[in-house]
Amino acid sequence: MSNSYYCIPHPPLPLMPMKTLKKTLADLLHQDAALRCVLLAVGMLSGCQLEPTTEYLPLPPPPTAALPPAATSEQRPKLAGIAAHKFSIAKDRRIVGRLAVIRTQDGDTLSDIARHFGLGYHEITLANPDIRPWTPKAGQRVLLPLRFILPDAPRKGIVLNLANMRMFYFPPKQPDVMFTYPLGIGREGWNTPLGQTTIVAKKANPAWAPPESIRREHAAKGDPLPAVVPPGPNNPLGKYALSLGFNSYLIHGTNKPYGVGMQVSHGCVRLYPEDIKALFKKTAVGMPVRMVHQPYMTAWVGDRLYLEAHQPLQKWAGQKQRLQKSLLKQLRQAAAEKGVTVDWEKVDRTLQRADGIPTPILAASLDVPELAAKAPEVQHPVHFYGQPVVPELTGSDWAILVADFHNAAVAQQLAAMLTHQGPPIPARKVEKDGTYQVIAGPFKNKREAELIAHRIRMDFEMDAKPLPPGTVALPQENASTQ
């Protein structure tokens, strides 16, 4: 399998001709709307496997809005933590976990919150559609959708439900325990396959051999790739890889963890670095792996019936009507057998919302807003797991001017995106002469600054300019110390 590491984490997104894009960027220089075009450029260039995932950033950002206020009939203590990966399961139980909320603090992003609590980007943004993913306001209540319905599949080995981009692992010697992890999967045109296979090989610190087509693309851009990318921070496979019986498909880590929870690969399955490390230790060659696509799942909890709905992936979008018709038939049969009344309007809302949150659908049951209002609050950690820390920028450091905008929120959004790349590019927003610059750094020397500026130009099609020591406008929090 040494030549089959062909999974491509960040495929191209053909949005507009490059000439048109460059002209549009030039026309919008120093305007807030330029960031939209920056994202288009990143999408077009993101087929290079060593580049960041940024096409998932929704622009323009939605208006901010908080979850319903917490129930005030009683004061609930904050939870120190909540189960996110490991759950106990009974033989006939198909739903695990619970909803919770956390209040944001300055500098938080939904991506940081998601990773800390074992969620993917898609999961947390769908559950919080009115919160800006990269620049939430301090004090907003973020819903943590940590309740999951298990897919309809044998509880053996690894089961991946592509519809909700989540893995369920059933340890062979622990029938009452289940582990679950968020996934990044193949994009449209490079879909992760369905079916039954096995783990055929395990590799720590894998090398990556870029396909010849990708090497030609990079060479044409003036950014050549080596024949083999060795283990290290630039390797898109991360530190661990599980080879599958499906030819050229892997379950692997990533050097771009904030792409987990999206359709961004050329078919391989990626996990957060900490999750693949844990899974790598638990699994063995020969373990079964089943990949399914189940966008609609139901489960009973006592006398309550839950429905979890997702939008079918694009490859199966044509089956949506048939899948929903089958679901409705199943619900009618369940209602008749149990002698209960289904709230069909709630079923319709749940299907329309398709946010992946298991929702009670019987008459007089609570809907998601009420469930969110009653959800317990989790204590905010001192630092989210893996959250990037931007080093202080001093007058003796090299830096990079990435862009400037009239809108502070847009500048902060781009700075957060850069900081969450893989490998990260430390960046911050700096106010200067009525505009807001995005400054990357610090860098040790001119060579390092030039390499990162080149990477930004390749990834974003932005004219990033290295700044020698003493020429950058320092952030206000640093200026007083200089």
Side-chain angles (χ1 to χ4, degrees):
M1 295 296 293
S2 60
N3 294 324
S4 63
Y5 295 152
Y6 291 166
C7 33
I8 300 177
H10 306 296
L13 187 62
L15 297 173
M16 66 170 65
M18 187 60 71
K19 289 182 179 179
T20 302
L21 177 61
K22 289 180 178 178
K23 182 180 185 300
T24 305
L25 278 169
D27 292 343
L28 294 174
L29 187 62
H30 302 306
Q31 296 185 24
D32 300 339
L35 185 52
R36 180 194 300 269
C37 296
V38 170
L39 296 175
L40 299 180
V42 173
M44 294 184 69
L45 294 172
S46 60
C48 91
Q49 285 53 266
L50 301 181
E51 298 173 351
T53 299
T54 52
E55 63 265 31
Y56 54 81
L57 179 66
L59 280 177
T64 56
L67 285 172
T72 57
S73 58
E74 56 178 324
Q75 292 296 322
R76 293 182 174 84
K78 292 184 179 180
L79 302 176
I82 188 170
H85 293 300
K86 183 178 180 181
F87 297 93
S88 298
I89 53 171
K91 184 177 180 180
D92 58 349
R93 187 175 177 86
R94 293 196 57 221
I95 189 168
V96 297
R98 64 189 301 184
L99 300 181
V101 297
I102 187 170
R103 290 191 184 273
T104 55
Q105 295 181 4
D106 286 332
D108 289 350
T109 72
L110 290 191
S111 287
D112 292 323
I113 296 172
R115 183 177 180 182
H116 185 88
F117 290 102
L119 296 166
Y121 182 88
H122 197 58
E123 289 175 305
I124 201 163
T125 53
L126 282 179
N128 299 277
D130 296 320
I131 296 180
R132 292 187 176 95
W134 295 102
T135 57
K137 294 181 179 179
Q140 288 187 289
R141 297 178 75 238
V142 174
L143 180 63
L144 303 175
L146 289 167
R147 174 174 282 165
F148 312 107
I149 293 181
L150 308 187
D152 184 13
R155 298 182 180 185
K156 187 177 182 180
I158 293 172
V159 178
L160 295 89
N161 188 0
L162 305 187
N164 65 351
M165 288 181 270
R166 183 156 283 275
M167 171 187 291
F168 301 86
Y169 167 64
F170 301 92
K173 297 181 180 180
Q174 295 177 279
D176 57 345
V177 172
M178 183 273 298
F179 296 84
T180 182
Y181 307 104
L183 307 172
I185 64 172
R187 69 184 288 265
E188 174 62 16
W190 297 92
N191 300 91
T192 302
L194 299 181
Q196 175 77 35
T197 185
T198 61
I199 296 173
V200 298
K202 298 174 63 175
K203 178 68 174 179
N205 297 312
W208 175 59
E212 185 60 31
S213 59
I214 300 301
R215 296 186 64 201
R216 288 196 300 268
E217 179 183 352
H218 271 252
K221 293 193 305 179
D223 187 34
L225 285 176
V228 176
V229 178
N234 290 325
N235 190 312
L237 301 185
K239 295 183 178 181
Y240 302 94
L242 304 174
S243 301
L244 302 180
F246 295 139
N247 187 34
S248 299
Y249 287 96
L250 306 174
I251 298 173
H252 63 81
T254 177
N255 65 341
K256 299 166 176 42
Y258 298 98
V260 168
M262 292 175 286
Q263 292 180 256
V264 289
S265 80
H266 269 200
C268 285
V269 174
R270 65 166 65 172
L271 281 76
Y272 286 126
E274 59 274 19
D275 292 346
I276 187 64
K277 180 179 180 179
L279 185 70
F280 190 86
K281 294 178 180 179
K282 293 181 175 72
T283 55
V285 171
M287 175 168 285
V289 177
R290 184 183 297 269
M291 300 184 182
V292 301
H293 176 259
Q294 297 178 9
Y296 307 119
M297 296 175 288
T298 60
W300 287 93
V301 178
D303 58 355
R304 290 170 292 170
L305 179 59
Y306 286 80
L307 169 63
E308 179 179 326
H310 305 265
Q311 289 292 349
L313 298 183
Q314 187 61 38
K315 181 178 180 180
W316 296 279
Q319 303 177 15
K320 182 175 180 179
Q321 185 174 1
R322 179 182 64 80
L323 291 170
Q324 291 192 357
K325 184 177 180 180
S326 176
L327 168 69
L328 297 180
K329 179 180 178 181
Q330 174 188 344
L331 293 178
R332 284 192 291 268
Q333 290 175 343
E337 291 173 1
K338 296 274 190 175
V340 296
T341 302
V342 173
D343 186 334
W344 295 107
E345 290 186 1
K346 185 173 291 184
V347 170
D348 185 62
R349 289 197 301 271
T350 304
L351 293 176
Q352 291 292 326
R353 195 172 61 237
D355 57 9
I357 300 175
T359 304
I361 55 171
L362 297 184
S365 59
L366 299 179
D367 209 338
V368 170
E370 292 80 17
L371 293 173
K374 292 178 175 292
E377 184 173 331
V378 180
Q379 290 181 2
H380 195 290
V382 175
H383 190 79
F384 290 116
Y385 182 88
Q387 184 177 22
V389 176
V390 179
E392 181 178 325
L393 186 64
T394 72
S396 60
D397 295 316
W398 277 83
I400 296 171
L401 173 60
V402 181
D404 61 275
F405 304 96
H406 293 301
N407 186 293
V410 175
Q412 181 59 40
Q413 196 167 358
L414 178 56
M417 290 166 53
L418 289 165
T419 301
H420 287 77
Q421 295 310 310
I425 300 174
R428 78 275 295 142
K429 170 185 87 267
V430 177
E431 185 175 3
K432 182 182 179 181
D433 300 330
T435 64
Y436 299 90
Q437 296 181 332
V438 177
I439 301 292
F443 304 110
K444 293 178 292 187
N445 50 48
K446 180 180 179 181
R447 175 61 176 163
E448 184 181 11
E450 288 177 339
L451 288 173
I452 299 299
H454 174 76
R455 180 178 158 200
I456 293 172
R457 286 192 289 268
M458 291 295 102
D459 295 350
F460 290 81
E461 288 258 330
M462 301 186 75
D463 189 20
K465 298 178 180 179
L467 299 174
T471 61
V472 62
L474 295 176
Q476 288 297 317
E477 60 268 23
N478 293 351
S480 60
T481 66
Q482 303 305 310

